[in-house]
Structures are given as structure tokens and as C-alpha cells.
Amino acid sequence: LFGLSYLPTAQRLSFSLIKINNIKQEKKAEEETLNPYLRIMMFNQSGRLVKKKKTTVKVNTKDPVFNETLNFEVTPGQLENSRFLVTLCHRRQVVDMAEVTNHDSSDQEGSGHGRFGSDRNGRSDSQGKQKDVCIGRIALGSTVRGEKERDHYQSVCGTPRQVFSMWHTVR
């Protein structure tokens, strides 16, 4: 459930992220605890990423309550052509790097480097943390395919200064 509103005088589009109910996980990941958060990415009309923001991570829950508002600076001209991608992500458990480095340096004498963790594809980022998993997404904008998502966005564009709240299903 999230609300969306636009304030033309402040040129601000606000996402009021309330809560998510009953997050479904892949079968193989069911034993793993779920640490969800939301990331919102703003794209311009040519598809270039303009801005991205995210909520705090909620630990070990399938029904997170966020109650957070993320604001984007959007001019009235940009509002019609911008698209937003709301992604539901899962923060994997963070491995204590001191523990990993200490363990690995004893195996690799003289190298001075510890091995970094990797994801299921064998990749890792520069800090050695595992990549977060995307559980689902919602696209919002006046040109997106989903009728419900497009109508929600167009309601906000057509009626500024009013909050429109709606349930969406992540896919």
C-alpha cells in the first residue's frame, strides 16, 4: 500500500510507502529470513536513470510496515514523461567481514587479502557483501503497460495536492 501525491508549487512528487502484506518467496529461499526494503528509481523520457532512493530495511518479516515518505523533485513538464520503478528487495544476511578476513588470511599466508563473499552466480561487489535480491517490482508512469499503475499515476498528475493511496501487486 502506498500513497502518491504531487505538489506543483514545491515541484515535489511524494511516495508515502505504508506497508506490504504477505511477501511470497522462492521455494529454495524459504528457510532464509526475509529482510525487505523498497527502492524507487526515477527515469526520464529517454529511459535514463535520474534519481534513486530507498527505505530502511525491515528485519525478518513478511509483512513490513514502512510508514516512510520518499520525495522526488519533479517539474510539471517532467511529471508527464517520467517513469518510476518501485522494487521490493531483500537484504541478505551480512557476513562479518572481520571474521571472514581473519579466517581466510590464515589460509593464504603472506597474501594480505581475504576472500570476499559471492552470490549464487559467484559474483560479489567491491566490499564483498552479497548482492540484494529483487523480489518484485511495480512500474508507474503515464506510459507504463499496467492499467492500474498507469491510472494511479495519471490520477496524481490530474489532481495535484491530493494523496491517492492504492494497493499494488508486485510482479
Side-chain angles (χ1 to χ4, degrees):
L1 174 68
F2 68 89
L4 198 55
S5 65
Y6 183 66
L7 297 172
T9 52
Q11 296 186 349
R12 184 173 59 221
L13 182 68
S14 298
F15 286 82
S16 298
L17 305 162
I18 310 302
K19 64 180 179 177
I20 300 174
N21 286 342
N22 198 19
I23 298 172
K24 304 277 192 261
Q25 283 184 277
E26 292 179 18
K27 295 287 186 229
K28 62 183 176 184
E30 281 182 359
E31 316 83 45
E32 195 175 344
T33 60
L34 190 63
N35 304 313
Y37 68 94
L38 292 169
R39 174 181 285 145
I40 302 178
M41 293 175 275
M42 176 183 172
F43 297 91
N44 64 13
Q45 66 186 28
S46 63
R48 178 169 284 163
L49 179 64
V50 177
K51 190 80 175 165
K52 58 185 176 181
K53 297 186 178 193
K54 64 182 180 179
T55 64
T56 57
V57 176
K58 301 300 177 184
V59 180
N60 196 17
T61 180
K62 289 187 177 186
D63 301 306
V65 176
F66 294 102
N67 286 330
E68 294 182 40
T69 300
L70 301 179
N71 297 312
F72 290 86
E73 288 182 27
V74 183
T75 65
Q78 289 176 312
L79 188 64
E80 285 298 318
N81 300 317
S82 295
R83 285 172 298 207
F84 294 86
L85 186 64
V86 181
T87 56
L88 172 61
C89 300
H90 159 61
R91 170 73 39 93
R92 292 193 171 170
Q93 293 294 335
V94 179
V95 177
D96 184 5
M97 286 310 295
E99 197 175 288
V100 171
T101 305
N102 289 341
H103 178 270
D104 286 343
S105 60
S106 65
D107 293 346
Q108 303 169 350
E109 287 186 21
S111 71
H113 296 97
R115 273 186 301 137
F116 292 123
S118 60
D119 68 8
R120 64 179 170 218
N121 298 323
R123 295 174 304 178
S124 64
D125 66 11
S126 58
Q127 288 84 33
K129 294 184 288 189
Q130 292 185 332
K131 300 243 185 246
D132 293 347
V133 178
C134 177
I135 298 170
R137 57 183 61 116
I138 302 165
L140 289 167
S142 51
T143 59
V144 298
R145 286 190 206 151
E147 186 177 343
K148 186 176 181 181
E149 292 83 358
R150 187 174 53 244
D151 290 347
H152 190 182
Y153 191 79
Q154 288 175 338
S155 298
V156 172
C157 295
T159 314
R161 291 179 288 282
Q162 187 173 344
V163 178
F164 288 88
S165 296
M166 192 177 291
W167 283 100
H168 290 275
T169 304
V170 293
R171 297 181 186 104

